[in-house]
Amino acid sequence: MNETVSGYRFKPDDLGVGRRTPGISIFMRVRNGADFLEAAIRSHADAVDEIVAVHNQCTDSSDAILHRLAADLGPKLRVIHYPDRVFPPGSEGHAREVADSPASFVNMSNFALAQTRHTIAMKLDDDHVAIADRFARLAARVRSNAFRLNETLCFSGINLARGADGTIGVPAHEPLVGTGDHFLFEVRPDTFFRHDPRFEHFHHADPRVFGDITYWHLKYLKAGLGFANYEMDETPNPRFERKKKRLMENRSLLTIAELAARQPAWAGLARHLPLPEKTRLKLARAHALRTDPPALDRATLGSALGETHDDHDPR
């Protein structure tokens, strides 16, 4: 399915909660994601029931990749073009636009969510490549519960970056990503994105619980180190400027084994204590990494990166 929708304004009724069928839907907001877009989609596709990819303002080959994948994957992948000018999170335009403006990233995000058809949904970024067995286990957990959730089931990822010599590993200064901002959730009338001057804020009332570490985060391996879509040349953003500067100044890499060994041994106990939600999520993440570190899936990740066997091995 390939279509174009312009001038859309989100209304909560568009979520169509009553018409949804049991299953897991992924929705994507794609802008110039060609580097890892195919790997992101293919590595998640087998574990879910549909993927809705909304592409916007792409000047690379993202749209061609999506259309080719749609022909290959059939009804499982639906591709929609959202042609309106959309301001990126963190920009002055984003801060200015109201939530239901066609130019708002919030509105486009809600549009993508509203196109999904199943009871459970999750957002996927074009630089998230699944750790296939771990994501499949998490999806199976949802299926075993008859596609019902009374909690927001969070998952995290492991950052990868290039060191000063060009090899690939886990950046020592920022090894992990995700403390509750990526998750599976049950779609309800009030589960949608709200406007925050800095970004799109997803509203959900269910408590957040940690599921697993399920993906490799390849943002820092993209062209422009993953910051190109923020239009920082036009509207400088101090937060993103600091992140980019830290990445360029800190090139030390870890292996997965080294990263796992750094996690606190007491995290498995502490995560059950009455602690703030974000602290509990971080401790549960640390426990999962220390007790069950993921293996590098070269069949998926290696081909996406174009790795050779003498690259730095982040196992």
Side-chain angles (χ1 to χ4, degrees):
M1 175 181 178
N2 305 305
E3 61 181 287
T4 297
V5 176
S6 180
Y8 172 84
R9 290 183 180 270
F10 172 73
K11 303 180 297 297
D13 287 348
D14 293 349
L15 293 175
V17 175
R19 63 168 165 74
R20 290 177 175 269
T21 58
I24 301 174
S25 295
I26 280 176
F27 62 97
M28 303 179 71
R29 299 82 44 90
V30 179
R31 180 180 180 185
N32 292 339
D35 289 343
F36 306 116
L37 179 58
E38 180 166 359
I41 289 174
R42 289 193 183 279
S43 63
H44 287 86
D46 287 345
V48 302
D49 298 287
E50 73 165 348
I51 299 173
V52 176
V54 176
H55 62 97
N56 171 256
Q57 302 177 131
C58 293
T59 57
D60 64 1
S61 59
S62 291
D63 56 345
I65 292 170
L66 287 172
H67 291 118
R68 175 171 53 79
L69 288 174
D72 187 24
L73 296 176
K76 179 166 282 191
L77 175 61
R78 297 164 52 215
V79 177
I80 305 173
H81 183 206
Y82 185 105
D84 300 86
R85 193 318 187 214
V86 175
F87 293 100
S91 67
E92 294 177 2
H94 171 82
R96 181 180 64 246
E97 293 293 325
V98 296
D100 68 344
S101 165
S104 170
F105 190 68
V106 177
N107 189 71
M108 188 180 77
S109 298
N110 282 325
F111 170 75
L113 170 59
Q115 303 315 300
T116 62
R117 297 170 175 172
H118 296 298
T119 52
I120 306 300
M122 59 168 272
K123 67 182 173 73
L124 173 66
D125 291 346
D126 58 46
D127 49 20
H128 291 190
V129 174
I131 304 172
D133 58 335
R134 297 176 84 110
F135 181 73
R137 289 202 304 262
L138 199 64
R141 178 173 163 181
V142 175
R143 293 181 186 281
S144 69
N145 202 42
F147 302 105
R148 309 297 299 186
L149 287 175
N150 58 8
E151 56 196 18
T152 301
L153 186 56
C154 302
F155 48 89
S156 296
I158 298 176
N159 283 323
L160 294 180
R162 291 192 183 275
D165 61 355
T167 58
I168 294 171
V170 181
H173 78 288
E174 189 184 359
L176 299 170
V177 60
T179 51
D181 54 339
H182 284 275
F183 41 79
L184 290 145
F185 64 96
E186 185 170 337
V187 181
R188 300 194 182 107
D190 62 345
T191 55
F192 55 86
F193 294 91
R194 315 291 173 92
H195 182 261
D196 182 291
R198 301 164 296 173
F199 44 72
E200 80 286 16
H201 172 69
F202 187 79
H203 177 268
H204 54 93
D206 294 335
R208 293 186 296 177
V209 299
F210 183 76
D212 200 0
I213 295 170
T214 64
Y215 65 94
W216 305 104
H217 188 211
L218 308 186
K219 172 185 175 73
Y220 296 146
L221 296 174
K222 293 174 74 173
L225 300 177
F227 293 95
N229 286 343
Y230 294 123
E231 301 178 7
M232 289 162 57
D233 290 341
E234 299 176 23
T235 57
N237 184 294
R239 175 170 171 262
F240 296 144
E241 292 284 2
R242 287 194 298 270
K243 287 177 69 70
K244 185 175 181 179
K245 182 178 180 182
R246 283 198 299 269
L247 177 65
M248 297 176 69
E249 292 178 348
N250 296 278
R251 310 300 294 273
S252 178
L253 301 178
L254 300 172
T255 65
I256 297 298
E258 290 168 341
L259 175 60
R262 288 190 173 195
Q263 306 310 305
W266 44 265
L269 174 63
R271 67 197 177 104
H272 297 292
L273 299 176
L275 297 167
E277 183 178 69
K278 192 167 185 177
T279 303
R280 285 191 295 102
L281 292 169
K282 285 184 175 181
L283 290 172
R285 182 180 69 180
H287 180 67
L289 184 55
R290 184 177 181 90
T291 58
D292 185 20
L296 181 65
D297 176 9
R298 289 191 178 277
T300 299
L301 185 59
S303 61
L305 299 177
E307 282 191 283
T308 59
H309 289 291
D310 58 355
D311 279 336
H312 185 85
D313 185 358
R315 289 176 299 173

